[in-house]
Amino acid sequence: MENNILLNRLLGDYAEMIQPILEKKQAEIFGGNIKGRKYRKTLEALPEIKPSSIDVLSDRVRIGRKEDITPEEKNNLLHCLRQLNPWRKGPFQLFGIDIDTEWRSDMKWNRLKDHIAPLAHKRILDIGSSNGYYMFKMASQQPECVIGIEPYLTFYFQYHALQTYLQFDRLCCLPLKIEEMPVMKEWFDTVFCMGILYHRRSPLDMLLRIRSCLKTGGELVLETLILEGDADLALVPENRYAKMNNVYFIPTVPCLRTWLVRTGFHHIRCIDITRTTSEEQHRTEWVDTESLEDFLDDRDPNKTVEGYPSPVRAIILADAK
Ligand SMILES: C[S@@+](CC[C@H](N)C(=O)[O-])C[C@H]1O[C@@H](n2cnc3c(N)ncnc32)[C@H](O)[C@@H]1O
């Protein structure tokens, strides 16, 4: 878990401001919260093993080798990892155990990794960092720090389970919502905001917030659902979109550009547009919920079950003006 030494080292002057917020949250997680207490026991039960090697560069992030553990340790580890279901982002391999996650997050990373500004010696924020899959990729580039923000406890504890073995000392994940964080004015060099904007009731306020925590010239890596077309407009689902009840705005790329210009960004580049396929998002034995195939109309896979255009995502880079 995040301790004061780590926070002071990575967050400088902001550590003092964040510590009381974090202490209050941790008291909730380990006090009244049943999930929090269960997950803490899971972390404590993880077998103590030192991985002989790690590999965060390959698509499947690998921790250790199967030869590093005994059959008994393997059973214990498998049991702990299953306690942390559902595994949405990945894939991972831990000591020979493959975690096939709902999302092939490597596909998104491979679309953007060669386009973004180098991350060496940079201060990075990953909003909605989930179990840290992308943070681990970023760590390989020797950043000054990577701060992940992840309020959902299952993913937050998955991150800590993985970090038990990876031990990257420049990473820190906070179990907070972005709106619970103080605005760290002009502090970050790069902000990743991926899979977040369509969940915000007020996307422009979110972009303004991101702008204010970026240094001038810093880079936003924005990945979000888009509507295909050239018109300057956004879809607002009446109720659910692909069975999600928290999707508010799905803009076209020109509309997204306008939002970015109006919130203080320039040099806006759309580097990728991809329709989500079942190769990228699918049910696996590590995810006990519905997935893409359940969200699309079986008679017309170009439509969601609600009759909206099926999910298409864009990756946009923009510089803080
Ligand atoms: C669709 S997932 C995207 C995960 C990852 N960034 C990616 O692109 O694959 C959205 C993530 O944001 C987290 N999240 C939800 N509300 C949030 C908030 N208010 N602040 C920060 N993260 C949030 C969710 O728990 C989830 O892990």
Side-chain angles (χ1 to χ4, degrees), residues 50-74:
K50 197 169 162 25
S52 54
S53 63
I54 58 168
D55 176 8
V56 292
L57 292 179
S58 47
D59 293 344
R60 185 183 290 276
V61 166
R62 183 181 61 75
I63 300 173
R65 296 273 183 204
K66 66 175 187 298
E67 302 74 35
D68 299 347
I69 57 173
T70 64
E72 195 193 340
E73 284 171 331
K74 184 174 177 183

Side-chain angles (χ1 to χ4, degrees), residues 125-129 147-149 178 191-194 196 206 210:
L125 176 66
D126 187 7
I127 304 171
S129 51
I147 311 298
I149 305 292
I178 185 67
V191 174
F192 288 82
C193 175
M194 306 197 295
I196 300 289
M206 177 76 181
I210 293 173

Side-chain angles (χ1 to χ4, degrees), residues 89 108 128 134 150-152 155 178-179 194-196 200:
K89 310 298 172 177
K108 193 191 291 188
Y134 300 114
E150 180 48 62
Y152 190 67
F155 307 150
I178 185 67
E179 52 276 26
M194 306 197 295
I196 300 289
R200 308 303 299 184

Side-chain angles (χ1 to χ4, degrees), residues 10-275:
L10 297 189
L11 292 167
D13 292 345
Y14 281 103
E16 243 176 70
M17 221 183 272
I18 291 172
Q19 257 150 22
I21 305 171
L22 202 55
E23 277 163 20
K24 188 162 165 258
K25 186 62 78 168
Q26 283 171 339
E28 279 168 31
I29 296 174
F30 301 124
N33 191 305
I34 295 169
K35 252 190 181 181
R37 292 209 307 261
K38 177 186 130 187
Y39 288 150
R40 172 131 95 174
K41 285 203 182 119
T42 302
L43 284 200
E44 286 165 0
L46 283 171
E48 276 180 42
I49 325 157
K50 197 169 162 25
S52 54
S53 63
I54 58 168
D55 176 8
V56 292
L57 292 179
S58 47
D59 293 344
R60 185 183 290 276
V61 166
R62 183 181 61 75
I63 300 173
R65 296 273 183 204
K66 66 175 187 298
E67 302 74 35
D68 299 347
I69 57 173
T70 64
E72 195 193 340
E73 284 171 331
K74 184 174 177 183
N75 278 341
N76 291 343
L77 178 60
L78 188 58
H79 177 74
C80 291
L81 296 173
R82 292 274 191 215
Q83 297 282 308
L84 294 168
N85 271 13
W87 286 80
R88 296 208 184 278
K89 310 298 172 177
F92 296 96
Q93 186 189 80
L94 277 81
F95 304 101
I97 299 172
D98 282 334
I99 303 183
D100 287 314
T101 47
E102 179 187 14
W103 284 87
R104 287 275 312 276
S105 308
D106 51 301
M107 292 172 76
K108 193 191 291 188
W109 183 252
N110 288 334
R111 285 179 199 126
L112 64 84
K113 69 177 179 11
D114 296 328
H115 297 273
I116 60 176
L119 301 178
H121 315 297
K122 300 286 176 62
R123 291 175 177 172
I124 301 161
L125 176 66
D126 187 7
I127 304 171
S129 51
S130 190
N131 60 25
Y133 179 86
Y134 300 114
M135 294 172 73
F136 304 138
K137 296 273 179 201
M138 296 170 204
S140 69
Q141 295 189 29
Q142 315 304 327
E144 182 181 321
C145 65
V146 182
I147 311 298
I149 305 292
E150 180 48 62
Y152 190 67
L153 285 191
T154 310
F155 307 150
Y156 172 73
F157 278 91
Q158 287 174 1
Y159 166 85
H160 280 289
L162 297 163
Q163 266 287 64
T164 301
Y165 301 112
L166 287 168
Q167 305 246 321
F168 283 122
D169 65 355
R170 302 248 130 224
L171 307 190
C172 160
C173 182
L174 304 175
L176 302 176
K177 295 181 177 162
I178 185 67
E179 52 276 26
E180 293 172 323
M181 284 282 288
V183 174
M184 299 170 70
K185 217 165 163 11
E186 305 244 340
W187 204 80
F188 290 101
D189 298 285
T190 301
V191 174
F192 288 82
C193 175
M194 306 197 295
I196 300 289
L197 204 65
Y198 50 87
H199 288 313
R200 308 303 299 184
R201 282 199 184 87
S202 180
L204 274 83
D205 287 336
M206 177 76 181
L207 293 173
L208 279 172
R209 191 186 171 103
I210 293 173
R211 170 63 193 91
S212 57
C213 74
L214 267 172
K215 295 176 186 168
T216 300
E219 185 169 80
L220 165 63
V221 182
L222 178 63
E223 191 260 6
T224 194
L225 285 171
I226 56 133
L227 191 62
E228 286 173 303
D230 300 328
D232 208 346
L233 48 81
L235 165 70
V236 180
E238 191 182 346
N239 193 347
R240 289 178 181 253
Y241 174 84
K243 295 198 181 171
M244 292 180 276
N245 63 1
N246 57 353
V247 173
Y248 298 100
F249 290 90
I250 305 181
T252 59
V253 171
C255 179
L256 205 44
R257 276 180 193 277
T258 309
W259 291 358
L260 286 163
V261 169
R262 294 189 63 173
T263 50
F265 291 91
H266 68 159
H267 195 209
I268 298 157
R269 299 89 79 194
C270 178
I271 57 161
D272 183 76
I273 295 182
T274 299
R275 182 174 299 275

